[in-house]
Amino acid sequence: MTSRSNSFSNYSESSYDYDDKEQSTVPTSDRDEPLNPGHRNNSFNGLLGFTFGSKKMRKKKPFCQEKAIVGLALFVIAFVGMNWWMLSRIQNSGRASQVEFRFLEDNSSTLSIREELLRLGLGKGRKPQKTIYARLLAKAAHSLAEGQKKSEPKDLWAEPYFVASSWKPCAEQRQWLPSEGKNGYIIVTANGGINQQRVAVCNIVAVARLLDATLVLPRFLYSSVWKDVSQFGDIYQEEHFIDYLKPDIRVVRELPQELQSLDLEAIGSLLTDADIVKEAKPGFYKKYILPILRKNRVVHFLGFGNRLASDPLPPQVQRLRCRCNFHALKFVPKIEETGALLIRRMRQNVTRLGPLDRHLVGPFSKSMLKGERNRGEKVARYLALHLRFEIDMVAHSLCEYGGGEEERNELEAYREIHFPALVELKKTTKLPSPAALKAEGLCPLMPEETVLMLAALGFNRQTRIYLAGAHIYGGKSRLASLTTLYPNLVTKESLLSSSEIEPFMNFSSQLAALDFIVCTAADVFAMTDSGSQFSSLVSGFRVYFGGGKMATIRPNKRRLADIFVKNNTIDWRTFEQRVRKAVRQTKRVFSRPVGRSVYRYPRCKECMCNT
């Protein structure tokens, strides 16, 4: 299969939390060669030859030779025993007695911990359920155990291309006079989670400049999915936003008194996404929106999703988009302070600053330099991992994840509530099978696949990992392989005390802001779904302010899917080589492709300068 059906593609592009133009295709020449099928036969024939040939040898073996054979047999037994022990730990790591950290709470749609343990066969003497990719996970466990004293690959924690450091931030440069905002007022109520809202805010700033309009401070629409009542001022610094954009557009806190009583829907000034074409170009706004604005003096964009094209756009307006995203949006002090605390603890209180710290936590970056650094103090590095495996992502993907009929029924029930359009599409259109979607790289990586990728890349067992997000589908049992092979895995919930995290509880957007800070500041950031809006914003921020020093792992899921298909036959060394090749090919340094998001790909003349 080379592409989805047209109807399915259209639906996917409209789904939230996706970079709708993510490319997962790989040139045919880049695909890995299949394993040589004759290799095993030759080895097998050689073994047969040795066996039959040994029958001709009837002489008594010397004592030293018998001793060597016994020693070899003991070694083989020990090797098999070690693999069996590590595999049993993977399967049984759901036991509460073996959990070393406080991990994510279970997804509300999954069974309780006790029921999960029973389902996995970890209670009442039942035989444990077979772990997905059990054979490869056992090999990964053995490799990690053997690699305790081995050094990691040299480029594992570094950006491998020097050319990345030649790109410098320059979106702050302005070459125009301030807009007077004389054509009227724009109100925007952005929908989605914090990532979709951030993109919407930057896009509406650009629209306000295009229409010479005054922007009212953005509002956020309450979502039945995210269930967060946070408004703009609960997440971002309002004064900084208004003052920073003064040379670009006029921003006010509210409408003038005489306009507040207008019935915007009745006069035709209430516009939803249905009224605006997707990826609308500047000409659309000037032709259709500007007349309404001039006539009624106010326009309210309700929702305002992905409604401004990436190209073509006047260079200075494109630069304004970057300026808003990377400079105008600063988190409130409460979020900055807690973000700085999380970074400090991830670095194990080692007194050092990263390239992005001051851009993320502002004045609180100074708190990370408390105390004197010892000369022999080891630099504490950490990996941030965005495991995009919440139930909404899993359900929308239409993929299968090894849970059988129970999983299929649960995900279908979720779709009927949250994705009714997708359910109707399934009834009227023949969609690709889960296997076909997997082969095309259109399924998010499972936790089991993620841990195999990290182990194959060379991260050792002691690596400190920060896991972003919450409510992983399947709960702790689904994370068992990851938490067992990498015991130093933590979350914001395990790093913060109950009193430290309490101000953020029940505010998913504010919790996501903390994840954004810690992931962006990490020595290495690894994503499992490159179409995720969160991963796109984090990786773009690391490119813009990172100075070419912030490595990001963006796996090619199509290539990885091809590798995982051979999980029952591939040897670990070959698996390592192929995974490293698949990931290495995604680390190329290039300018922003036409039509792609400047928030994810800021390497373009409008946002950055190539020195």
Side-chain angles (χ1 to χ4, degrees):
M1 187 187 103
T2 58
S3 64
R4 304 193 196 187
S5 65
N6 291 335
S7 56
F8 184 66
S9 297
N10 291 336
Y11 180 79
S12 277
E13 287 183 358
S14 66
S15 66
Y16 67 94
D17 206 26
Y18 264 86
D19 182 342
D20 52 37
K21 293 188 179 178
E22 171 61 18
Q23 295 176 339
S24 60
T25 56
V26 179
T28 305
S29 59
D30 288 339
R31 292 187 181 274
D32 294 293
E33 294 296 327
L35 295 174
N36 181 4
H39 178 72
R40 218 168 63 171
N41 291 337
N42 293 339
S43 301
F44 185 62
N45 291 337
L47 180 61
L48 286 176
F50 173 79
T51 304
F52 292 134
S54 63
K55 292 181 180 180
K56 299 177 183 179
M57 300 173 62
R58 301 296 182 187
K59 293 183 180 181
K60 187 175 182 180
K61 300 176 182 177
F63 175 75
C64 59
Q65 186 176 356
E66 291 181 352
K67 189 175 181 180
I69 293 174
V70 172
L72 179 60
L74 290 174
F75 174 77
V76 171
I77 292 171
F79 178 80
V80 173
M82 174 65 75
N83 281 340
W84 175 85
W85 179 76
M86 292 299 288
L87 179 57
S88 67
R89 286 206 61 191
I90 294 173
Q91 293 174 325
N92 292 301
S93 61
R95 296 180 186 273
S97 62
Q98 293 180 352
V99 178
E100 299 179 25
F101 295 90
R102 289 184 291 114
F103 296 112
L104 302 175
E105 296 293 327
D106 288 322
N107 192 294
S108 58
S109 67
T110 59
L111 302 175
S112 68
I113 287 291
R114 180 175 176 276
E115 290 172 326
E116 282 186 352
L117 295 180
L118 290 174
R119 186 179 67 179
L120 289 171
L122 300 177
K124 297 186 178 181
R126 288 175 56 185
K127 185 177 180 180
Q129 175 180 309
K130 185 177 180 181
T131 306
I132 298 178
Y133 298 123
R135 175 180 169 275
L136 274 179
L137 286 168
K139 288 183 175 293
H142 180 74
S143 176
L144 288 172
E146 276 192 334
Q148 294 283 59
K149 298 180 180 179
K150 293 182 180 179
S151 58
E152 296 172 321
K154 291 182 179 180
D155 64 345
L156 188 60
W157 294 88
E159 175 63 61
Y161 299 105
F162 176 76
V163 68
S165 63
S166 66
W167 290 90
K168 305 295 182 184
C170 61
E172 285 188 293
Q173 299 177 8
R174 294 176 170 95
Q175 297 176 350
W176 58 20
L177 295 175
S179 170
E180 298 178 6
K182 59 186 179 183
N183 284 330
Y185 293 84
I186 288 179
I187 303 172
V188 63
T189 306
N191 61 0
I194 186 174
N195 308 302
Q196 294 78 19
Q197 291 167 350
R198 187 182 185 104
V199 171
V201 168
C202 295
N203 286 346
I204 204 65
V205 165
V207 170
R209 178 71 196 203
L210 281 169
L211 302 182
D212 192 10
T214 296
L215 177 66
V216 179
L217 269 180
R219 304 170 184 174
F220 294 155
L221 191 66
Y222 178 81
S223 168
S224 60
V225 176
W226 303 106
K227 298 179 181 178
D228 187 354
V229 297
S230 298
Q231 285 301 312
F232 186 87
D234 298 315
I235 301 172
Y236 302 109
Q237 298 178 30
E238 293 180 343
E239 285 299 328
H240 174 80
F241 182 79
I242 295 171
D243 292 341
Y244 187 84
L245 292 176
K246 274 183 179 178
D248 303 303
I249 63 170
R250 181 168 174 251
V251 183
V252 296
R253 292 184 176 276
E254 57 184 21
L255 281 175
Q257 192 69 33
E258 66 271 18
L259 298 179
Q260 292 182 11
S261 59
L262 291 176
D263 185 338
L264 299 184
E265 185 174 8
I267 64 176
S269 283
L270 181 64
L271 304 175
T272 67
D273 279 0
D275 301 309
I276 307 171
V277 299
K278 186 173 176 156
E279 297 282 343
K281 297 178 182 178
F284 175 89
Y285 286 96
K286 292 179 179 179
K287 182 177 180 179
Y288 297 104
I289 309 302
L290 186 56
I292 301 175
L293 185 64
R294 284 174 171 167
K295 177 184 176 182
N296 299 331
R297 295 185 60 201
V298 59
V299 168
H300 181 188
F301 292 98
L302 180 62
F304 199 71
N306 186 17
R307 300 294 145 179
L308 181 62
S310 294
D311 293 296
L313 211 63
Q316 288 302 315
V317 176
Q318 192 77 283
R319 177 164 290 187
L320 175 58
R321 269 174 146 177
C322 291
R323 193 151 55 238
C324 179
N325 182 48
F326 298 116
H327 297 279
L329 292 175
K330 296 285 187 184
F331 293 120
V332 294
K334 179 181 77 169
I335 294 176
E336 288 185 336
E337 183 178 19
T338 306
L341 181 63
L342 285 167
I343 295 173
R344 183 180 175 88
R345 287 177 181 171
M346 283 307 301
R347 293 175 183 158
Q348 298 179 298
N349 294 320
V350 172
T351 53
R352 71 177 177 94
L353 284 181
L356 286 83
D357 291 355
R358 66 183 182 89
H359 302 290
L360 293 167
V361 298
F364 296 99
S365 59
K366 296 178 182 178
S367 66
M368 290 185 268
L369 294 175
K370 290 181 180 179
E372 296 182 3
R373 179 174 175 178
N374 300 322
R375 289 187 177 181
E377 190 175 45
K378 186 178 180 180
V379 175
R381 300 180 297 196
Y382 73 93
L383 163 74
L385 172 64
H386 183 222
L387 191 61
R388 187 68 172 96
F389 205 72
E390 295 88 354
I391 190 170
D392 61 315
M393 177 67 179
V394 172
H396 187 271
S397 68
L398 295 179
C399 301
E400 293 185 354
Y401 302 94
E405 191 65 25
E406 180 182 355
E407 175 187 279
R408 284 191 288 271
N409 293 337
E410 182 179 28
L411 295 181
E412 190 60 29
Y414 185 91
R415 291 186 197 106
E416 290 178 358
I417 298 173
H418 298 281
F419 302 125
L422 182 57
V423 174
E424 289 301 315
L425 187 65
K426 287 179 63 180
K427 295 177 181 177
T428 59
T429 308
K430 184 177 180 181
L431 301 178
S433 67
L437 291 171
K438 182 83 170 179
E440 285 296 303
L442 298 175
C443 301
L445 292 184
M446 296 185 289
E448 297 90 341
E449 294 170 330
T450 301
V451 70
L452 288 171
M453 178 186 73
L454 295 178
L457 289 175
F459 289 101
N460 66 41
R461 185 169 163 77
Q462 303 307 315
T463 300
R464 290 180 62 78
I465 300 178
Y466 179 88
L467 182 62
H471 303 303
I472 299 301
Y473 178 65
K476 295 178 183 178
S477 61
R478 197 69 204 235
L479 287 172
S481 56
L482 185 58
T483 55
T484 300
L485 269 63
Y486 288 99
N488 292 329
L489 182 144
V490 295
T491 65
K492 53 187 175 293
E493 289 83 1
S494 62
L495 284 174
L496 298 174
S497 66
S498 57
S499 61
E500 289 168 339
I501 201 171
E502 193 276 333
F504 304 96
M505 297 306 294
N506 301 319
F507 299 104
S508 61
S509 292
Q510 297 181 43
L511 290 169
L514 295 177
D515 280 339
F516 180 90
I517 289 174
V518 185
C519 288
T520 307
D523 297 275
V524 174
F525 172 62
M527 63 184 78
T528 58
D529 181 56
S530 54
S532 160
Q533 195 75 271
F534 177 89
S535 295
S536 296
L537 291 172
V538 169
S539 59
F541 215 92
R542 289 167 65 83
V543 168
Y544 187 78
F545 286 118
K549 299 178 181 178
M550 310 300 287
T552 296
I553 297 172
R554 184 184 290 110
N556 185 318
K557 292 184 294 180
R558 174 184 280 186
R559 290 191 61 112
L560 289 183
D562 183 58
I563 299 170
F564 284 125
V565 165
K566 302 176 176 65
N567 72 86
N568 288 323
T569 56
I570 193 171
D571 66 274
W572 181 251
R573 185 171 181 80
T574 303
F575 181 77
E576 280 183 326
Q577 293 172 345
R578 297 184 67 186
V579 168
R580 291 179 186 183
K581 180 180 178 182
V583 172
R584 193 184 307 117
Q585 289 177 339
T586 65
K587 289 188 174 183
R588 299 186 300 262
V589 176
F590 52 86
S591 300
R592 179 182 73 92
V594 175
R596 307 300 290 276
S597 166
V598 292
Y599 312 121
R600 176 175 179 174
Y601 299 102
R603 289 191 183 107
C604 59
K605 61 182 181 181
E606 294 86 0
C607 295
M608 302 183 74
C609 301
N610 192 343
T611 58

